[in-house]
Amino acid sequence: DTIDPLLNARVMALAGRVRAARAAGQALLAPVVDLVPTFRSLTLHVDPERADAQALPAWLRDQARAVAADPAPAAAATGRRWCLPACFDEDLAPDLATVAQAKGLRVDALVARLLAVRFHVYVIGFMPGFPYMGGLPPALATPRRATPRQRVPANSLAVADTLCSVYPWESPGGWHLLGRTPLRLFDLARAEQPAWLAAGDTVRWQPVDRAAFEQLAAEAEAGRLAREQFLAAETEETAE
C-alpha cells in the first residue's frame, strides 16, 4: 500500500536473478517468455506446456528468500540512466502555473525542482509505454485532478501524488500536465523493445526551448533519433 524503494529494489533483484539464470542456459528457466516487474511484485509469463509446475515455483521462492535476506539489493538491479528533453512552454504545460501557485512557488522554481530530481521507473503500465516514475519530493506532491481531461496530448509530462510520467499516446488522463517531451516513448517500429523506458531505469529531465523541441519532435517522427544518444553522460553519473 506504499511506494517503497527497498521493496522495488528486491523485485528488480529477483528479476535480475531470473534473467541471469536464463542467460546462463538454466533449463528450468527456458519456459519463461517475459518478466514484468511492478512496484511490489514480479510477474512471470511462461509457456505452460514446457514449464515444470513444481520445480519452477520452488526455485523462485528460494530466490525470493535470498533477495529478502539481502540488506542492499539495489546493487543487483541497476537500470539505464536517461537524460530526456522536455519543454515547459505555457501551451505545452497547461497545469504548470496552477501547480506552482498551489505550492507557493514561481513557475521557474517549480521547473528547477523537477529538473533536480532523478526519477526512478518503477513499472510500465496503464497503457503501452506509460512509465510510473517515483521521486517527486513530498513538498511537490499533488493530488490527481478532480476532473480528468478527456484528451491528454501524447508525450505530455505529468505528475500526480509523488509520481511523474509521460503519456505516450493521446488519451484521457487525470494527471497534471507540466511540460512535454518531443520523444516517442513507445514505438512499434522498434520490435525488440517498443517501450523506451523499463522498470529499473532512471530519468532526469533536460530543459529545451521551443525551437529545439520542434526540431527533436520532427527528427523523432522521421525515425532519425537513436535512443542511445539520450543516455546520461558518464561524467554526470560520476558527479552524482
Side-chain angles (χ1 to χ4, degrees), residues 64-131:
R65 281 192 288 267
V67 167
D70 186 348
T78 53
R80 298 162 299 176
R81 298 162 70 89
W82 300 100
C83 186
L84 304 181
C87 183
F88 299 94
D89 282 7
E90 183 178 359
D91 61 320
L92 304 180
D95 297 324
L96 186 58
T98 302
V99 173
Q101 182 178 23
K103 299 303 176 182
L105 298 169
R106 300 189 313 273
V107 166
D108 59 346
L110 175 57
V111 171
R113 293 197 183 188
L114 285 174
L115 299 179
V117 177
R118 180 171 291 281
F119 291 97
H120 177 81
V121 181
Y122 281 96
V123 61
I124 306 297
F126 170 53
M127 65 176 68
F130 188 97

Short mmCIF file of all heavy atoms in Angstrom, two decimals, residues 64-131:
data_model
loop_
_atom_site.label_atom_id
_atom_site.label_comp_id
_atom_site.label_asym_id
_atom_site.label_seq_id
_atom_site.Cartn_x
_atom_site.Cartn_y
_atom_site.Cartn_z
N ALA A 64 13.56 -15.66 -4.04
CA ALA A 64 12.90 -14.55 -3.35
C ALA A 64 13.37 -14.47 -1.90
O ALA A 64 13.58 -13.36 -1.38
CB ALA A 64 11.39 -14.70 -3.41
N ARG A 65 13.55 -15.61 -1.25
CA ARG A 65 14.05 -15.61 0.13
C ARG A 65 15.47 -15.06 0.18
O ARG A 65 15.82 -14.31 1.10
CB ARG A 65 13.97 -17.02 0.71
CG ARG A 65 12.58 -17.43 1.18
CD ARG A 65 12.61 -18.70 2.01
NE ARG A 65 12.89 -19.86 1.17
CZ ARG A 65 11.95 -20.63 0.63
NH1 ARG A 65 10.66 -20.34 0.85
NH2 ARG A 65 12.26 -21.68 -0.09
N ALA A 66 16.29 -15.44 -0.79
CA ALA A 66 17.67 -14.94 -0.81
C ALA A 66 17.70 -13.43 -1.01
O ALA A 66 18.48 -12.72 -0.38
CB ALA A 66 18.45 -15.64 -1.92
N VAL A 67 16.84 -12.93 -1.88
CA VAL A 67 16.78 -11.48 -2.12
C VAL A 67 16.29 -10.76 -0.86
O VAL A 67 16.82 -9.71 -0.50
CB VAL A 67 15.86 -11.17 -3.32
CG1 VAL A 67 15.52 -9.69 -3.38
CG2 VAL A 67 16.50 -11.62 -4.62
N ALA A 68 15.27 -11.32 -0.20
CA ALA A 68 14.73 -10.68 1.00
C ALA A 68 15.77 -10.60 2.11
O ALA A 68 15.72 -9.69 2.95
CB ALA A 68 13.50 -11.44 1.48
N ALA A 69 16.72 -11.53 2.12
CA ALA A 69 17.75 -11.54 3.16
C ALA A 69 18.88 -10.57 2.86
O ALA A 69 19.73 -10.31 3.72
CB ALA A 69 18.31 -12.96 3.31
N ASP A 70 18.91 -10.02 1.65
CA ASP A 70 19.97 -9.10 1.25
C ASP A 70 19.61 -7.69 1.73
O ASP A 70 18.59 -7.14 1.33
CB ASP A 70 20.13 -9.11 -0.27
CG ASP A 70 21.30 -8.28 -0.75
OD1 ASP A 70 21.86 -7.52 0.06
OD2 ASP A 70 21.67 -8.40 -1.93
N PRO A 71 20.44 -7.09 2.60
CA PRO A 71 20.08 -5.76 3.12
C PRO A 71 20.21 -4.64 2.09
O PRO A 71 19.67 -3.55 2.28
CB PRO A 71 21.09 -5.55 4.26
CG PRO A 71 22.26 -6.39 3.87
CD PRO A 71 21.68 -7.59 3.18
N ALA A 72 20.90 -4.89 0.99
CA ALA A 72 21.09 -3.84 -0.02
C ALA A 72 20.94 -4.44 -1.42
O ALA A 72 21.90 -4.53 -2.17
CB ALA A 72 22.46 -3.20 0.13
N PRO A 73 19.71 -4.83 -1.79
CA PRO A 73 19.51 -5.50 -3.08
C PRO A 73 19.62 -4.57 -4.28
O PRO A 73 19.70 -5.03 -5.41
CB PRO A 73 18.10 -6.06 -2.96
CG PRO A 73 17.41 -5.12 -2.03
CD PRO A 73 18.46 -4.71 -1.03
N ALA A 74 19.60 -3.25 -4.07
CA ALA A 74 19.58 -2.33 -5.20
C ALA A 74 20.80 -2.50 -6.10
O ALA A 74 20.73 -2.25 -7.30
CB ALA A 74 19.50 -0.89 -4.70
N ALA A 75 21.93 -2.91 -5.54
CA ALA A 75 23.14 -3.07 -6.35
C ALA A 75 22.98 -4.12 -7.43
O ALA A 75 23.70 -4.11 -8.42
CB ALA A 75 24.32 -3.43 -5.44
N ALA A 76 22.02 -5.01 -7.23
CA ALA A 76 21.82 -6.09 -8.21
C ALA A 76 20.84 -5.68 -9.31
O ALA A 76 20.52 -6.48 -10.17
CB ALA A 76 21.31 -7.34 -7.50
N ALA A 77 20.36 -4.45 -9.27
CA ALA A 77 19.29 -4.07 -10.20
C ALA A 77 19.49 -2.65 -10.72
O ALA A 77 18.66 -1.78 -10.51
CB ALA A 77 17.94 -4.20 -9.51
N THR A 78 20.62 -2.41 -11.34
CA THR A 78 20.87 -1.07 -11.88
C THR A 78 20.38 -1.01 -13.31
O THR A 78 20.76 -1.82 -14.15
CB THR A 78 22.37 -0.76 -11.82
OG1 THR A 78 23.10 -1.81 -12.47
CG2 THR A 78 22.84 -0.65 -10.38
N GLY A 79 19.52 -0.05 -13.60
CA GLY A 79 18.99 0.12 -14.94
C GLY A 79 19.75 1.19 -15.70
O GLY A 79 20.79 1.70 -15.26
N ARG A 80 19.21 1.57 -16.83
CA ARG A 80 19.83 2.62 -17.65
C ARG A 80 19.49 3.99 -17.07
O ARG A 80 18.46 4.16 -16.44
CB ARG A 80 19.33 2.50 -19.09
CG ARG A 80 19.70 1.18 -19.76
CD ARG A 80 18.85 0.92 -20.98
NE ARG A 80 17.43 0.83 -20.61
CZ ARG A 80 16.45 0.68 -21.48
NH1 ARG A 80 16.73 0.60 -22.77
NH2 ARG A 80 15.20 0.60 -21.08
N ARG A 81 20.36 4.94 -17.32
CA ARG A 81 20.20 6.29 -16.79
C ARG A 81 20.01 7.23 -17.96
O ARG A 81 20.90 7.43 -18.78
CB ARG A 81 21.43 6.67 -15.95
CG ARG A 81 21.62 5.77 -14.73
CD ARG A 81 23.03 5.86 -14.18
NE ARG A 81 23.31 7.14 -13.55
CZ ARG A 81 23.08 7.40 -12.27
NH1 ARG A 81 22.54 6.47 -11.49
NH2 ARG A 81 23.37 8.57 -11.75
N TRP A 82 18.81 7.83 -18.03
CA TRP A 82 18.45 8.65 -19.17
C TRP A 82 18.42 10.13 -18.81
O TRP A 82 18.07 10.50 -17.68
CB TRP A 82 17.05 8.26 -19.68
CG TRP A 82 16.92 6.85 -20.12
CD1 TRP A 82 16.37 5.81 -19.41
CD2 TRP A 82 17.34 6.29 -21.37
NE1 TRP A 82 16.42 4.66 -20.14
CE2 TRP A 82 17.01 4.92 -21.34
CE3 TRP A 82 17.96 6.82 -22.50
CZ2 TRP A 82 17.28 4.07 -22.41
CZ3 TRP A 82 18.23 5.99 -23.56
CH2 TRP A 82 17.90 4.63 -23.52
N CYS A 83 18.75 10.96 -19.79
CA CYS A 83 18.57 12.40 -19.69
C CYS A 83 17.70 12.81 -20.88
O CYS A 83 18.18 12.83 -22.03
CB CYS A 83 19.92 13.11 -19.72
SG CYS A 83 19.82 14.88 -19.43
N LEU A 84 16.42 13.06 -20.63
CA LEU A 84 15.44 13.24 -21.69
C LEU A 84 15.01 14.70 -21.78
O LEU A 84 14.80 15.36 -20.76
CB LEU A 84 14.22 12.34 -21.44
CG LEU A 84 14.50 10.85 -21.28
CD1 LEU A 84 13.19 10.09 -21.08
CD2 LEU A 84 15.25 10.29 -22.49
N PRO A 85 14.83 15.21 -23.00
CA PRO A 85 14.44 16.61 -23.18
C PRO A 85 12.97 16.85 -22.85
O PRO A 85 12.12 15.98 -23.06
CB PRO A 85 14.73 16.86 -24.65
CG PRO A 85 14.54 15.52 -25.30
CD PRO A 85 15.03 14.52 -24.29
N ALA A 86 12.69 18.04 -22.37
CA ALA A 86 11.31 18.45 -22.10
C ALA A 86 11.22 19.96 -22.28
O ALA A 86 12.15 20.69 -21.94
CB ALA A 86 10.86 18.05 -20.71
N CYS A 87 10.09 20.40 -22.81
CA CYS A 87 9.83 21.82 -22.99
C CYS A 87 8.71 22.23 -22.03
O CYS A 87 7.72 21.50 -21.88
CB CYS A 87 9.44 22.12 -24.44
SG CYS A 87 9.18 23.88 -24.79
N PHE A 88 8.89 23.39 -21.40
CA PHE A 88 7.94 23.83 -20.38
C PHE A 88 7.21 25.11 -20.80
O PHE A 88 6.73 25.85 -19.95
CB PHE A 88 8.68 24.03 -19.05
CG PHE A 88 9.32 22.77 -18.54
CD1 PHE A 88 10.65 22.49 -18.82
CD2 PHE A 88 8.59 21.86 -17.81
CE1 PHE A 88 11.24 21.33 -18.35
CE2 PHE A 88 9.17 20.69 -17.33
CZ PHE A 88 10.50 20.42 -17.61
N ASP A 89 7.09 25.34 -22.11
CA ASP A 89 6.33 26.49 -22.59
C ASP A 89 4.88 26.38 -22.13
O ASP A 89 4.34 25.27 -22.00
CB ASP A 89 6.39 26.57 -24.11
CG ASP A 89 7.71 27.14 -24.61
OD1 ASP A 89 8.62 27.35 -23.77
OD2 ASP A 89 7.84 27.37 -25.82
N GLU A 90 4.23 27.52 -21.95
CA GLU A 90 2.91 27.55 -21.33
C GLU A 90 1.88 26.69 -22.06
O GLU A 90 1.09 25.98 -21.43
CB GLU A 90 2.42 29.00 -21.25
CG GLU A 90 1.08 29.15 -20.56
CD GLU A 90 0.66 30.61 -20.46
OE1 GLU A 90 1.42 31.48 -20.90
OE2 GLU A 90 -0.45 30.87 -19.93
N ASP A 91 1.89 26.71 -23.39
CA ASP A 91 0.88 25.95 -24.12
C ASP A 91 1.12 24.45 -24.08
O ASP A 91 0.22 23.66 -24.35
CB ASP A 91 0.78 26.43 -25.57
CG ASP A 91 2.08 26.24 -26.32
OD1 ASP A 91 3.15 26.49 -25.74
OD2 ASP A 91 2.04 25.84 -27.51
N LEU A 92 2.35 24.05 -23.73
CA LEU A 92 2.67 22.63 -23.59
C LEU A 92 2.56 22.17 -22.14
O LEU A 92 2.69 20.98 -21.86
CB LEU A 92 4.09 22.35 -24.10
CG LEU A 92 4.40 22.77 -25.54
CD1 LEU A 92 5.84 22.43 -25.89
CD2 LEU A 92 3.44 22.09 -26.51
N ALA A 93 2.33 23.11 -21.24
CA ALA A 93 2.30 22.80 -19.80
C ALA A 93 1.10 23.50 -19.16
O ALA A 93 1.25 24.42 -18.35
CB ALA A 93 3.60 23.26 -19.16
N PRO A 94 -0.11 23.09 -19.50
CA PRO A 94 -1.30 23.84 -19.07
C PRO A 94 -1.53 23.87 -17.58
O PRO A 94 -2.29 24.73 -17.10
CB PRO A 94 -2.44 23.12 -19.80
CG PRO A 94 -1.91 21.75 -20.11
CD PRO A 94 -0.45 21.93 -20.36
N ASP A 95 -0.92 22.96 -16.81
CA ASP A 95 -1.15 22.95 -15.36
C ASP A 95 0.05 23.49 -14.58
O ASP A 95 0.01 23.52 -13.34
CB ASP A 95 -1.46 21.52 -14.89
CG ASP A 95 -2.73 20.97 -15.49
OD1 ASP A 95 -3.68 21.75 -15.65
OD2 ASP A 95 -2.77 19.77 -15.79
N LEU A 96 1.10 23.89 -15.26
CA LEU A 96 2.33 24.28 -14.58
C LEU A 96 2.10 25.47 -13.65
O LEU A 96 2.50 25.45 -12.48
CB LEU A 96 3.41 24.60 -15.61
CG LEU A 96 4.81 24.90 -15.07
CD1 LEU A 96 5.34 23.73 -14.26
CD2 LEU A 96 5.77 25.20 -16.23
N ALA A 97 1.45 26.52 -14.14
CA ALA A 97 1.24 27.71 -13.32
C ALA A 97 0.33 27.42 -12.14
O ALA A 97 0.56 27.90 -11.02
CB ALA A 97 0.66 28.83 -14.18
N THR A 98 -0.68 26.59 -12.35
CA THR A 98 -1.62 26.26 -11.28
C THR A 98 -0.94 25.49 -10.16
O THR A 98 -1.13 25.77 -8.97
CB THR A 98 -2.81 25.46 -11.83
OG1 THR A 98 -3.46 26.21 -12.85
CG2 THR A 98 -3.79 25.12 -10.73
N VAL A 99 -0.13 24.49 -10.54
CA VAL A 99 0.57 23.70 -9.53
C VAL A 99 1.59 24.56 -8.81
O VAL A 99 1.75 24.48 -7.58
CB VAL A 99 1.25 22.48 -10.18
CG1 VAL A 99 2.13 21.74 -9.17
CG2 VAL A 99 0.19 21.52 -10.74
N ALA A 100 2.31 25.41 -9.54
CA ALA A 100 3.29 26.30 -8.91
C ALA A 100 2.61 27.21 -7.88
O ALA A 100 3.11 27.38 -6.75
CB ALA A 100 4.00 27.13 -9.97
N GLN A 101 1.47 27.78 -8.25
CA GLN A 101 0.76 28.65 -7.32
C GLN A 101 0.31 27.88 -6.08
O GLN A 101 0.42 28.38 -4.95
CB GLN A 101 -0.44 29.27 -8.02
CG GLN A 101 -1.23 30.25 -7.14
CD GLN A 101 -2.40 30.88 -7.89
OE1 GLN A 101 -2.88 30.33 -8.87
NE2 GLN A 101 -2.87 32.02 -7.42
N ALA A 102 -0.17 26.64 -6.28
CA ALA A 102 -0.63 25.84 -5.15
C ALA A 102 0.51 25.51 -4.19
O ALA A 102 0.29 25.34 -2.99
CB ALA A 102 -1.27 24.55 -5.66
N LYS A 103 1.74 25.45 -4.71
CA LYS A 103 2.90 25.14 -3.88
C LYS A 103 3.64 26.39 -3.41
O LYS A 103 4.67 26.29 -2.75
CB LYS A 103 3.87 24.24 -4.66
CG LYS A 103 3.24 22.92 -5.07
CD LYS A 103 2.72 22.13 -3.88
CE LYS A 103 2.02 20.85 -4.29
NZ LYS A 103 1.47 20.13 -3.11
N GLY A 104 3.11 27.56 -3.75
CA GLY A 104 3.74 28.79 -3.32
C GLY A 104 5.07 29.04 -4.00
O GLY A 104 5.98 29.64 -3.41
N LEU A 105 5.19 28.61 -5.26
CA LEU A 105 6.44 28.73 -6.00
C LEU A 105 6.23 29.54 -7.28
O LEU A 105 5.13 29.58 -7.82
CB LEU A 105 6.98 27.35 -6.37
CG LEU A 105 7.35 26.40 -5.23
CD1 LEU A 105 7.61 25.00 -5.79
CD2 LEU A 105 8.57 26.91 -4.48
N ARG A 106 7.30 30.15 -7.74
CA ARG A 106 7.29 30.69 -9.10
C ARG A 106 7.37 29.52 -10.07
O ARG A 106 7.85 28.43 -9.74
CB ARG A 106 8.47 31.63 -9.34
CG ARG A 106 8.53 32.84 -8.41
CD ARG A 106 9.62 33.81 -8.88
NE ARG A 106 10.86 33.11 -9.19
CZ ARG A 106 11.80 32.85 -8.31
NH1 ARG A 106 11.64 33.18 -7.02
NH2 ARG A 106 12.92 32.22 -8.67
N VAL A 107 6.91 29.74 -11.29
CA VAL A 107 6.94 28.68 -12.29
C VAL A 107 8.37 28.20 -12.52
O VAL A 107 8.63 26.99 -12.58
CB VAL A 107 6.31 29.16 -13.61
CG1 VAL A 107 6.64 28.21 -14.75
CG2 VAL A 107 4.80 29.29 -13.46
N ASP A 108 9.32 29.13 -12.64
CA ASP A 108 10.69 28.71 -12.89
C ASP A 108 11.27 27.93 -11.72
O ASP A 108 12.09 27.02 -11.90
CB ASP A 108 11.58 29.91 -13.25
CG ASP A 108 11.61 30.96 -12.14
OD1 ASP A 108 10.77 30.92 -11.23
OD2 ASP A 108 12.50 31.85 -12.21
N ALA A 109 10.83 28.24 -10.50
CA ALA A 109 11.31 27.50 -9.34
C ALA A 109 10.76 26.08 -9.33
O ALA A 109 11.48 25.12 -8.98
CB ALA A 109 10.92 28.22 -8.06
N LEU A 110 9.50 25.92 -9.72
CA LEU A 110 8.93 24.58 -9.79
C LEU A 110 9.64 23.75 -10.85
O LEU A 110 9.99 22.58 -10.62
CB LEU A 110 7.44 24.66 -10.10
CG LEU A 110 6.71 23.33 -10.33
CD1 LEU A 110 6.88 22.41 -9.14
CD2 LEU A 110 5.24 23.55 -10.64
N VAL A 111 9.90 24.36 -12.00
CA VAL A 111 10.62 23.64 -13.07
C VAL A 111 12.01 23.26 -12.58
O VAL A 111 12.47 22.12 -12.81
CB VAL A 111 10.71 24.51 -14.34
CG1 VAL A 111 11.65 23.87 -15.36
CG2 VAL A 111 9.32 24.70 -14.94
N ALA A 112 12.68 24.14 -11.88
CA ALA A 112 14.02 23.85 -11.37
C ALA A 112 14.00 22.65 -10.43
O ALA A 112 14.91 21.81 -10.45
CB ALA A 112 14.59 25.07 -10.66
N ARG A 113 12.97 22.55 -9.61
CA ARG A 113 12.88 21.40 -8.69
C ARG A 113 12.64 20.10 -9.46
O ARG A 113 13.18 19.05 -9.09
CB ARG A 113 11.77 21.64 -7.67
CG ARG A 113 12.08 22.78 -6.71
CD ARG A 113 11.20 22.74 -5.49
NE ARG A 113 11.45 23.86 -4.59
CZ ARG A 113 10.93 23.96 -3.38
NH1 ARG A 113 10.12 23.02 -2.91
NH2 ARG A 113 11.19 25.02 -2.64
N LEU A 114 11.84 20.18 -10.51
CA LEU A 114 11.63 18.98 -11.33
C LEU A 114 12.94 18.54 -11.99
O LEU A 114 13.25 17.35 -12.05
CB LEU A 114 10.59 19.27 -12.42
CG LEU A 114 9.12 19.35 -12.00
CD1 LEU A 114 8.27 19.79 -13.19
CD2 LEU A 114 8.64 18.02 -11.45
N LEU A 115 13.70 19.51 -12.46
CA LEU A 115 14.94 19.19 -13.16
C LEU A 115 15.99 18.63 -12.21
O LEU A 115 16.91 17.93 -12.65
CB LEU A 115 15.49 20.44 -13.84
CG LEU A 115 14.60 21.09 -14.91
CD1 LEU A 115 15.26 22.33 -15.47
CD2 LEU A 115 14.29 20.10 -16.03
N ALA A 116 15.87 18.90 -10.93
CA ALA A 116 16.86 18.43 -9.96
C ALA A 116 16.65 16.98 -9.56
O ALA A 116 17.53 16.37 -8.94
CB ALA A 116 16.83 19.33 -8.72
N VAL A 117 15.50 16.42 -9.92
CA VAL A 117 15.16 15.06 -9.48
C VAL A 117 15.61 14.03 -10.52
O VAL A 117 15.41 14.22 -11.72
CB VAL A 117 13.64 14.92 -9.26
CG1 VAL A 117 13.28 13.49 -8.89
CG2 VAL A 117 13.17 15.90 -8.19
N ARG A 118 16.22 12.96 -10.04
CA ARG A 118 16.41 11.78 -10.89
C ARG A 118 15.30 10.82 -10.54
O ARG A 118 15.29 10.20 -9.47
CB ARG A 118 17.79 11.14 -10.68
CG ARG A 118 17.98 9.91 -11.58
CD ARG A 118 19.40 9.38 -11.54
NE ARG A 118 20.33 10.29 -12.17
CZ ARG A 118 20.50 10.40 -13.48
NH1 ARG A 118 19.75 9.68 -14.30
NH2 ARG A 118 21.38 11.23 -13.98
N PHE A 119 14.34 10.69 -11.45
CA PHE A 119 13.17 9.85 -11.21
C PHE A 119 13.50 8.38 -11.45
O PHE A 119 14.26 8.05 -12.36
CB PHE A 119 12.02 10.28 -12.11
CG PHE A 119 11.44 11.63 -11.77
CD1 PHE A 119 11.85 12.77 -12.44
CD2 PHE A 119 10.51 11.75 -10.76
CE1 PHE A 119 11.32 14.01 -12.12
CE2 PHE A 119 9.97 13.00 -10.43
CZ PHE A 119 10.39 14.13 -11.10
N HIS A 120 12.89 7.53 -10.65
CA HIS A 120 13.09 6.08 -10.76
C HIS A 120 11.87 5.44 -11.40
O HIS A 120 10.74 5.65 -10.95
CB HIS A 120 13.32 5.47 -9.37
CG HIS A 120 13.46 3.99 -9.38
ND1 HIS A 120 14.65 3.35 -9.70
CD2 HIS A 120 12.56 3.00 -9.13
CE1 HIS A 120 14.46 2.04 -9.64
NE2 HIS A 120 13.21 1.80 -9.29
N VAL A 121 12.09 4.67 -12.46
CA VAL A 121 10.99 3.98 -13.14
C VAL A 121 10.65 2.71 -12.36
O VAL A 121 11.45 1.79 -12.29
CB VAL A 121 11.35 3.63 -14.59
CG1 VAL A 121 10.17 2.93 -15.28
CG2 VAL A 121 11.76 4.88 -15.37
N TYR A 122 9.46 2.68 -11.79
CA TYR A 122 9.03 1.52 -11.02
C TYR A 122 8.36 0.47 -11.89
O TYR A 122 8.56 -0.73 -11.69
CB TYR A 122 8.06 1.96 -9.92
CG TYR A 122 8.72 2.55 -8.72
CD1 TYR A 122 8.85 3.93 -8.58
CD2 TYR A 122 9.23 1.75 -7.70
CE1 TYR A 122 9.45 4.49 -7.46
CE2 TYR A 122 9.84 2.29 -6.59
CZ TYR A 122 9.95 3.66 -6.47
OH TYR A 122 10.57 4.22 -5.38
N VAL A 123 7.52 0.91 -12.81
CA VAL A 123 6.74 -0.05 -13.59
C VAL A 123 6.24 0.65 -14.85
O VAL A 123 6.07 1.86 -14.88
CB VAL A 123 5.55 -0.59 -12.75
CG1 VAL A 123 4.62 0.52 -12.35
CG2 VAL A 123 4.79 -1.69 -13.49
N ILE A 124 6.04 -0.14 -15.89
CA ILE A 124 5.40 0.34 -17.11
C ILE A 124 3.99 -0.23 -17.12
O ILE A 124 3.79 -1.44 -17.05
CB ILE A 124 6.15 -0.13 -18.38
CG1 ILE A 124 7.63 0.26 -18.30
CG2 ILE A 124 5.50 0.44 -19.63
CD1 ILE A 124 7.88 1.75 -18.28
N GLY A 125 2.99 0.64 -17.18
CA GLY A 125 1.61 0.14 -17.09
C GLY A 125 0.60 1.15 -17.54
O GLY A 125 0.96 2.19 -18.11
N PHE A 126 -0.66 0.88 -17.28
CA PHE A 126 -1.82 1.69 -17.65
C PHE A 126 -2.05 1.65 -19.16
O PHE A 126 -3.13 1.31 -19.62
CB PHE A 126 -1.64 3.14 -17.16
CG PHE A 126 -2.67 4.11 -17.69
CD1 PHE A 126 -4.02 3.85 -17.56
CD2 PHE A 126 -2.28 5.27 -18.32
CE1 PHE A 126 -4.97 4.74 -18.05
CE2 PHE A 126 -3.22 6.17 -18.82
CZ PHE A 126 -4.56 5.89 -18.69
N MET A 127 -1.04 1.98 -19.93
CA MET A 127 -1.09 1.85 -21.38
C MET A 127 0.33 1.53 -21.85
O MET A 127 1.29 1.73 -21.09
CB MET A 127 -1.61 3.13 -22.04
CG MET A 127 -0.71 4.33 -21.88
SD MET A 127 -1.31 5.79 -22.77
CE MET A 127 -2.77 6.17 -21.82
N PRO A 128 0.51 1.01 -23.06
CA PRO A 128 1.86 0.65 -23.52
C PRO A 128 2.83 1.83 -23.43
O PRO A 128 2.57 2.91 -23.97
CB PRO A 128 1.63 0.22 -24.97
CG PRO A 128 0.23 -0.27 -25.00
CD PRO A 128 -0.52 0.64 -24.06
N GLY A 129 3.92 1.62 -22.70
CA GLY A 129 4.96 2.62 -22.60
C GLY A 129 4.78 3.67 -21.52
O GLY A 129 5.63 4.54 -21.37
N PHE A 130 3.72 3.61 -20.73
CA PHE A 130 3.46 4.62 -19.70
C PHE A 130 4.30 4.30 -18.46
O PHE A 130 4.07 3.31 -17.78
CB PHE A 130 1.97 4.62 -19.34
CG PHE A 130 1.53 5.73 -18.43
CD1 PHE A 130 0.95 6.87 -18.94
CD2 PHE A 130 1.66 5.62 -17.05
CE1 PHE A 130 0.52 7.90 -18.10
CE2 PHE A 130 1.24 6.63 -16.21
CZ PHE A 130 0.67 7.77 -16.74
N PRO A 131 5.30 5.15 -18.14
CA PRO A 131 6.19 4.84 -17.01
C PRO A 131 5.71 5.48 -15.71
O PRO A 131 5.45 6.69 -15.66
CB PRO A 131 7.52 5.47 -17.45
CG PRO A 131 7.10 6.67 -18.27
CD PRO A 131 5.77 6.32 -18.90
#
